[in-house]
Amino acid sequence: MKKITFTLLAICFAAFSFSQTENDKLIELGKAYKTFMFTNEPPKGFVKDLQANVAENLNPATGFIVQTISTDNDILKQPYLALPDQQTLKFIYIIHAININIREEKQLDNNKLIDSLKAADIPKNELVDNYYNLLFTAVGNKIKPFNLSKIDFKLNEYNLTNDTEKGIFFLQCMEYCGSEIWGYMNIVRPPNTGKALDYIKKFPMFNGLKYYQFDDLNFPDFEMVIADKGKLSYKSYYINKYYDVLLSHMICLNQEGAKEKEIQNLLLGSILKESNLYKYSKNKEKLEKLFKEQK
């Protein structure tokens, strides 16, 4: 009887120990991401230590975080562009949550945070959004100068199972691309449309088409907490930003004397003509007026 009891205790202790090790590793990864996600570069030996003694189920998440904190990275290559398994997605979601938590003056206990998120039923759309948010944030922070002109994202090759997941990938990429021209269009007075257009010419392609020709955005809308703005319509937040990019592109073409054919290609080849999506833009009237004027 004692032998059985001791065996059970040993099993319980081993399970507890593993759980604690897993939590500790998640916290370590969250702290690493917080410290090195921007311009800071990990010191020599740091990445090697971060990847040492990692449980097999945490290997993919660890590898992804290493890419996001390293300047010399492969984040835009197939293994990372492809959506990982559900468990890895959730680990990365937890790591990001730890990163946010430890930035706060009044922090939650990280172990309690981890346990609550492990137990939570987080919608897959949120996990996918979080993954590509971190991926394109890493591209912006670690790959300089901006130039995705030679990139063609093949969305059918990234384990994306439906139009919603493909739309999330696209909108997160365009959120990043749009941030590269935002200052030239909204801070500089008058707007530096020449510089902005130079950046737009460095936007990537999607499925062999120019960025603005991607129009598979009629997936069902959903709500989720976005940044610090609370729960919002996903499409209202991100499609609005994408329309802003398209409108900026149109302004740049007009200001920089583009040929009429180039202007018409943008207008008729993009969602600028998709009036059913105007409800997601804060510039609905401007979009309607633009199309009428061009006609």
Side-chain angles (χ1 to χ4, degrees):
M1 184 66 183
K2 284 184 178 180
K3 186 176 181 181
I4 294 172
T5 302
F6 287 143
T7 302
L8 287 173
L9 283 171
I11 292 170
C12 289
F13 180 76
F16 176 76
S17 242
F18 179 76
S19 175
Q20 288 296 101
T21 301
E22 184 173 273
N23 280 15
D24 288 345
K25 192 65 187 180
L26 289 167
I27 293 168
E28 183 184 8
L29 289 166
K31 289 180 176 178
Y33 182 74
K34 171 187 174 291
T35 303
F36 301 113
M37 68 169 287
F38 290 111
T39 56
N40 290 342
E41 190 69 12
K44 186 176 180 180
F46 181 89
V47 167
K48 184 178 180 181
D49 290 343
L50 194 65
Q51 293 179 299
N53 301 317
V54 179
E56 187 175 349
N57 65 335
L58 265 173
N59 262 326
T62 303
F64 177 76
I65 294 301
V66 164
Q67 296 300 312
T68 66
I69 65 175
S70 304
T71 300
D72 184 15
N73 65 58
D74 295 319
I75 199 78
L76 284 175
K77 293 185 178 177
Q78 172 70 23
Y80 302 103
L81 292 173
L83 196 67
D85 61 88
Q86 188 92 355
Q87 184 182 52
T88 299
L89 285 174
K90 194 160 187 180
F91 279 144
I92 293 169
Y93 186 95
I94 291 170
I95 291 164
H96 189 211
I98 293 166
N99 149 70
I100 294 170
N101 182 49
I102 58 181
R103 294 176 187 276
E104 301 294 332
E105 186 175 353
K106 295 181 179 179
Q107 301 174 15
L108 299 173
D109 178 83
N110 278 315
N111 280 295
K112 289 181 179 179
L113 175 63
I114 293 169
D115 292 342
S116 68
L117 291 175
K118 282 182 178 179
D121 184 17
I122 302 167
K124 189 181 179 186
N125 287 346
E126 294 189 30
L127 298 176
V128 175
D129 175 79
N130 177 75
Y131 182 79
Y132 288 116
N133 174 272
L134 266 61
L135 186 147
F136 285 111
T137 296
V139 175
N141 289 339
K142 297 296 184 177
I143 302 178
K144 305 289 185 182
F146 173 83
N147 190 352
L148 300 182
S149 60
K150 295 182 179 180
I151 300 288
D152 184 2
F153 291 117
K154 306 287 189 180
L155 300 187
N156 290 329
E157 298 177 3
Y158 303 150
N159 301 332
L160 303 168
T161 60
N162 54 45
D163 286 346
T164 301
E165 293 178 5
K166 292 173 185 177
I168 290 170
F169 181 107
F170 175 79
L171 290 171
Q172 280 296 341
C173 181
M174 295 316 303
E175 160 88 345
Y176 157 54
C177 291
S179 69
E180 293 292 318
I181 66 168
W182 190 87
Y184 295 116
M185 298 301 296
N186 295 279
I187 296 177
V188 179
R189 286 291 177 262
N192 190 337
T193 53
K195 192 70 173 177
L197 190 57
D198 286 343
Y199 273 79
I200 290 169
K201 289 176 181 177
K202 296 175 183 177
F203 283 8
M205 298 180 75
F206 293 84
N207 300 327
L209 300 172
K210 294 182 183 297
Y211 89 92
Y212 61 78
Q213 293 175 298
F214 184 90
D215 61 0
D216 292 332
L217 296 173
N218 287 309
F219 57 84
D221 195 15
F222 58 93
E223 289 189 340
M224 61 173 278
V225 174
I226 299 175
D228 58 352
K229 302 178 186 300
K231 187 168 279 194
L232 300 172
S233 153
Y234 191 84
K235 294 175 75 167
S236 291
Y237 185 80
Y238 284 106
I239 291 181
N240 173 62
K241 289 199 164 194
Y242 178 46
Y243 267 125
D244 286 348
V245 172
L246 293 171
L247 288 169
S248 292
H249 192 170
M250 183 64 71
I251 291 168
C252 290
L253 291 179
N254 282 312
Q255 289 295 112
E256 297 303 312
K259 293 180 180 178
E260 184 64 24
K261 183 179 179 181
E262 193 173 357
I263 294 171
Q264 289 297 316
N265 285 344
L266 175 61
L267 181 71
L268 300 176
S270 72
I271 64 166
L272 285 172
K273 69 179 186 303
E274 302 293 341
S275 57
N276 64 309
L277 294 174
Y278 290 178
K279 62 186 177 182
Y280 298 115
S281 172
K282 293 178 180 177
N283 291 301
K284 182 181 177 184
E285 291 182 5
K286 186 182 291 187
L287 289 165
E288 291 171 339
K289 184 179 178 182
L290 172 70
F291 196 73
K292 287 176 183 177
E293 286 177 352
Q294 294 297 323
K295 276 172 56 176

